């Protein structure tokens, strides 16, 4: 079984992956770690800001890691934002039943009422440089894009609208 976690920035993808690891003992692969390893090692000229290009660059590797894990009957949690909206097109009926997809997104209302908390937890699991571009409007735009594009692709979204902890708890149950 593969658990594929994606979503907008600051939605708690890494936190959810960590909690799932603790609950299930399944290893998890951070797409951000892979990205930074490739960037820091000089294996790509892309930068952390090249989101669309990074998705195109990283997804074929992530896709094949997922297929290999399924073929070997191994469980794996994969988390990160570099998942294409039409990711299902890359898997056939041998693989799809063994992939649980989770897309986290926050409503505009949630961002308006909890922006300080969102920013306060941005380094809860991984240290990250303070993101000066992380404004309410930027978060709203990123979340709206994720919601719209994944829903257009036929995916369900886990919408964080009021109680963050309760939303995450439901995913862990």
């Amino acid at each position: 079984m593969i658990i594929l976690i994606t979503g907008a920035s600051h939605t708690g993808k890494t936190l959810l992956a960590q909690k799932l690891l603790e609950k299930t003992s399944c290893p998890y692969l951070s797409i951000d770690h892979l990205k930074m390893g490739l960037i820091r090692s000089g294996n790509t000229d892309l930068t952390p800001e090249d989101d669309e290009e990074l998705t195109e660059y990283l997804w074929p590797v992530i896709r094949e890691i997922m297929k290999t894990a399924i073929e070997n009957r191994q469980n794996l949690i994969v988390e990160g934002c570099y998942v294409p909206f039409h990711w299902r097109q890359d898997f056939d009926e041998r693989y799809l039943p063994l992939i649980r997809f989770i897309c986290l997104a926050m409503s505009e209302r949630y961002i308006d009422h909890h922006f300080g908390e969102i920013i306060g937890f941005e380094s809860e699991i991984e240290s990250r440089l303070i993101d000066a571009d992380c404004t309410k409007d930027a978060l709203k735009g990123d979340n709206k894009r994720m919601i719209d594009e994944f829903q257009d692709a036929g995916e369900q979204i886990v919408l964080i609208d009021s109680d963050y902890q309760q939303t995450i708890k439901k995913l862990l149950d």
Side-chain angles (χ1 to χ4, degrees):
M1 170 66 76
I2 303 294
I3 301 173
L4 178 59
I5 304 168
T6 194
S9 178
H10 290 78
T11 54
K13 298 177 295 293
T14 306
L15 177 63
L16 176 59
Q18 180 68 35
K19 288 185 178 292
L20 284 167
L21 171 133
E22 292 167 3
K23 180 178 180 169
T24 66
S25 298
C26 290
Y28 85 83
L29 171 64
S30 166
I31 301 174
D32 278 342
H33 289 175
L34 178 60
K35 168 190 76 177
M36 292 311 298
L38 291 165
I39 289 171
R40 288 179 171 181
S41 66
N43 281 294
T44 181
D45 291 329
L46 296 171
T47 70
E49 288 78 34
D50 297 326
D51 286 338
E52 287 184 35
E53 296 90 347
L54 281 164
T55 299
E56 291 175 24
Y57 182 69
L58 295 169
W59 180 246
V61 176
I62 297 301
R63 176 190 69 217
E64 297 307 317
I65 289 171
M66 291 169 57
K67 287 180 179 178
T68 301
I70 290 170
E71 290 161 358
N72 287 292
R73 297 184 192 108
Q74 295 169 321
N75 297 318
L76 181 64
I77 301 163
V78 178
E79 68 85 16
C81 60
Y82 303 103
V83 176
F85 300 116
H86 295 281
W87 68 272
R88 286 183 190 272
Q89 295 173 357
D90 292 332
F91 297 94
D92 63 31
E93 65 280 348
R94 291 175 294 166
Y95 300 102
L96 285 172
L98 299 170
I99 302 171
R100 178 181 175 204
F101 177 76
I102 300 171
C103 179
L104 298 175
M106 297 176 190
S107 70
E108 286 191 13
R109 182 175 71 116
Y110 185 84
I111 294 167
D112 280 335
H113 290 97
H114 299 277
F115 183 72
E117 294 168 52
I118 294 166
I119 298 305
F121 285 107
E122 72 181 354
S123 295
E124 186 72 11
I125 297 296
E126 294 178 326
S127 296
R128 70 163 85 188
L129 298 174
I130 301 304
D131 189 353
D133 293 335
C134 187
T135 64
K136 269 189 193 182
D137 288 340
L139 274 181
K140 288 178 185 180
D142 188 29
N143 279 270
K144 182 175 180 354
R145 180 174 168 261
M146 287 289 170
I147 292 166
D148 292 346
E149 295 283 349
F150 275 115
Q151 284 182 337
D152 285 350
E155 299 294 346
Q156 297 289 317
I157 306 299
V158 176
L159 187 64
I160 301 161
D161 188 46
S162 57
D163 188 334
Y164 181 87
Q165 296 299 332
Q166 190 62 30
T167 302
I168 298 303
K169 185 178 183 307
K170 285 180 186 176
L171 291 171
L172 293 170
D173 290 339

